[in-house]
């Protein structure tokens, strides 16, 4: 059997551990699959065939010797371009980091390697994770595997496209305002943004430090739980990582949601929502009701301000975080600058794309004296109100159900000339980052034009267990199995 690429991470791990297949055979199946379809999809920016096969052989040697295997033994994975790896480059899909080799592995990279996962390579993203379509990559275009003329979403578009096109069993991305959940929705896979603090960000190139989280994109909910088990935990190298007792999230998938209270925020079922998405999300409510969940209408009254608040807070933090890329210490350095000031200007002007420059300018503006109080400080205050909305809502319910994005994937180029249009795509995902709570997107159907639609569930801080249990119960009973799209 050579279609191991169609199996879940869980199935692969089982088969490898039982000796039904070698990790080399699984890895080869994925490498062949990449060769066959990634030319059309464009998910991978770097491919490490030899390293991957060597890792696979090491796993096979462990199996032979009867040694204990890691939780992802033999599972081929991909990593977003902003997760530090000592192998290859870490470019954030930016020209400014062209050629940059990280001197260390991110904590997540280390944990995945220690779990015996096979790293196939790195995948594309919007430059520095700023975008919703992966069109802001300085490296290449990535297509939506369901319809190649459409975007895969972003910024973790390469991650979602690789899972959807079965060129990786799992991928790891980052989510600052929706960058795991929205591409997962667009490509028909599962995307989990853990609670802020659940996963170490050491070695994740920072975009907006008070919002960024690393999380998995997977074929199903069980794989998301399995992946979370591996990457979670306190890290002395990331002061924001939480010190919590270890949990096995796969144990949470009991299939039981009887009596669970699910909130439907009225502010999310608005006119901007496409009628197809509305219909599918409403159908998902019936699926969970039939399993014994109870639905309550809730209100998140400050929802209207979330996009505005995010596009002040995130650029402000980005303008500080990106100051370090000055042509001196990392990656690209402009070759003909006469002095240091000119070096900075020329390196940044040529090194950054338009969207990154726009964010740095916005961020610098809202932090500058005279504007700080009017914009940044005010946005922080409204952020607190948004968080309080969730605190209130979670007094009435255990989980919140919403659409992930207002509409299915859009056509390449459709929104790239209008930043505001692009920003509005994040309307349903941003609040979770502002509040620090976990969220998951999972497929709830295919649109008339054959594009996946995503359902979003939001949970209480550090209650990924309930979130995953609800998602898994929906998945098990909805009868929606999108499978792998034909790529042509
Ligand atoms: N699309 C949002 C932005 O452009 C979110 C990106 C993200 O989550 N990294 O900022």
């Amino acid at each position: 059997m050579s279609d191991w690429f169609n199996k879940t991470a869980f199935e692969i791990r089982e088969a490898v551990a039982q000796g039904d297949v070698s990790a080399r055979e699984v890895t080869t199946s994925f490498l062949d699959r990449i060769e066959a379809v990634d030319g059309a999809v464009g998910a991978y920016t770097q491919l490490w065939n030899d390293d991957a096969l060597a890792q696979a052989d090491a796993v096979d040697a462990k199996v032979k010797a009867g040694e204990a295997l890691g939780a992802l033994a033999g599972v081929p994975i991909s990593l977003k371009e902003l997760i530090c790896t000592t192998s290859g480059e870490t470019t954030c899909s930016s020209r400014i980091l062209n050629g940059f080799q990280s001197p260390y592995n991110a904590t997540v990279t280390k944990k995945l390697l220690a779990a015996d996962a096979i790293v196939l390579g790195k995948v594309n993203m919007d430059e520095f994770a700023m975008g919703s379509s992966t069109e802001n990559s300085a490296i290449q275009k990535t297509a939506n595997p369901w319809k190649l003329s459409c975007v895969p979403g972003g910024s973790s578009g390469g991650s979602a496209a690789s899972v959807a096109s079965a060129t990786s069993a799992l991928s790891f991305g980052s989510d600052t305002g929706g960058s795991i959940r929205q591409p997962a929705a667009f490509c028909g896979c599962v995307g989990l943004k853990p609670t802020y603090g659940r996963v170490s960000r050491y070695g994740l190139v920072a975009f907006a430090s008070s919002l960024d989280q690393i999380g998995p994109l997977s074929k199903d909910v069980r794989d998301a739980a399995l992946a979370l088990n591996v990457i979670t935990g306190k890290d002395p190298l990331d002061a924001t990582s939480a010190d919590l007792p270890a949990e096995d999230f796969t144990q949470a998938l009991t299939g039981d949601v009887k009596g669970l209270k699910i909130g439907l925020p009225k502010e999310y079922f608005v006119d901007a929502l496409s009628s197809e998405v509305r219909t599918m999300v409403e159908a998902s409510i019936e699926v969970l009701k039939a399993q014994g969940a109870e639905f309550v209408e809730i209100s998140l009254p400050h929802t209207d301000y979330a996009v505005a608040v995010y596009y002040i807070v995130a650029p402000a933090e980005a303008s500080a975080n990106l100051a370090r890329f000055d042509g001196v210490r990392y990656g690209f350095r402009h070759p003909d600058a006469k002095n240091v000031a000119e070096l900075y200007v020329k390196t940044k002007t040529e090194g950054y794309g338009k969207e990154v420059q726009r964010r740095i300018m916005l961020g610098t503006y809202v932090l500058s004296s005279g504007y700080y109080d009017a914009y940044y400080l005010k946005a922080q205050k409204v952020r607190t109100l948004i968080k309080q909305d969730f605190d209130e809502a979670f007094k009435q319910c255990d989980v919140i159900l919403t659409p992930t994005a207002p509409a299915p994937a859009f056509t390449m180029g459709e929104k790239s000339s209008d930043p505001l249009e692009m920003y509005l795509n994040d309307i349903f995902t941003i609040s979770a980052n502002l509040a620090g709570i976990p969220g998951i997107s999972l497929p709830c159907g295919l649109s008339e034009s054959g594009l996946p639609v995503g359902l979003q569930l939001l949970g209480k801080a550090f209650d990924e267990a309930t979130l995953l249990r609800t998602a898994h119960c929906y998945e098990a009973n909805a009868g929606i199995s999108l499978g792998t799209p034909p790529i042509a």
Side-chain angles (χ1 to χ4, degrees), residues 183-239:
F186 278 17
C187 291
C189 46
V190 173
L192 171 67
K193 180 201 93 75
T195 309
Y196 186 78
R198 177 65 89 176
V199 179
S200 164
R201 283 104 39 87
Y202 180 71
L204 169 74
V205 180
F207 163 9
S209 307
S210 75
L211 302 160
D212 301 337
Q213 257 296 285
I214 296 179
L217 293 97
S218 58
K219 282 196 175 74
D220 66 10
V221 175
R222 188 170 53 173
D223 278 3
L226 186 64
L228 186 60
N229 281 351
V230 171
I231 60 174
T232 189
K234 174 74 188 163
D235 180 3
L237 298 171
D238 175 0

Side-chain angles (χ1 to χ4, degrees), residues 41-44 77-83 121-126 134 142 145 152-174 179-180 183-184 187 189-190 215-218:
V41 175
Y44 280 88
I77 65 166
S78 62
L79 301 175
K80 187 174 176 179
E81 271 285 348
L82 78 181
I83 296 176
K122 288 243 175 96
V123 282
N124 204 18
M125 56 183 281
D126 284 299
T134 311
T142 299
S155 65
S156 310
S159 289
S162 75
V163 171
S165 62
T167 55
S168 70
L170 276 179
S171 188
F172 293 83
S174 62
S179 275
I180 290 174
C187 291
C189 46
V190 173
L217 293 97
S218 58

Side-chain angles (χ1 to χ4, degrees), residues 472-483:
H472 175 254
C473 179
Y474 169 75
E475 182 187 67
N477 293 289
I480 289 162
S481 166
L482 301 185

Side-chain angles (χ1 to χ4, degrees), residues 175-182 191-196 260-269 281 284 288 294-296 298-301 303 306 386-387 389-391 393-405 426-442 454-472 474:
D175 190 312
T176 304
S179 275
I180 290 174
R181 291 162 286 155
Q182 183 258 22
L192 171 67
K193 180 201 93 75
T195 309
Y196 186 78
L260 189 84
K261 288 220 164 59
I262 304 183
L264 296 172
K266 58 173 193 251
E267 293 81 3
Y268 281 57
F269 292 85
V281 171
S284 75
L288 285 162
E294 291 166 26
F295 282 83
V296 283
I298 56 160
S299 175
L300 298 166
T303 298
I386 290 170
K387 180 171 179 308
D389 283 355
F390 282 101
D391 293 344
F394 281 126
K395 287 180 185 159
Q396 289 167 264
C397 62
D398 307 295
V399 168
I400 294 172
L401 184 150
T402 78
T404 307
D426 304 332
I427 191 155
F428 300 139
T429 49
I430 276 175
S431 297
N433 302 75
L434 292 171
I437 60 174
I440 190 168
S441 177
L442 53 160
L455 167 71
Q456 177 176 245
L457 298 170
L458 302 172
K460 296 178 187 169
F462 297 109
D463 192 11
E464 280 85 352
T466 305
L467 192 65
L468 289 161
R469 170 159 62 95
T470 314
H472 175 254
Y474 169 75

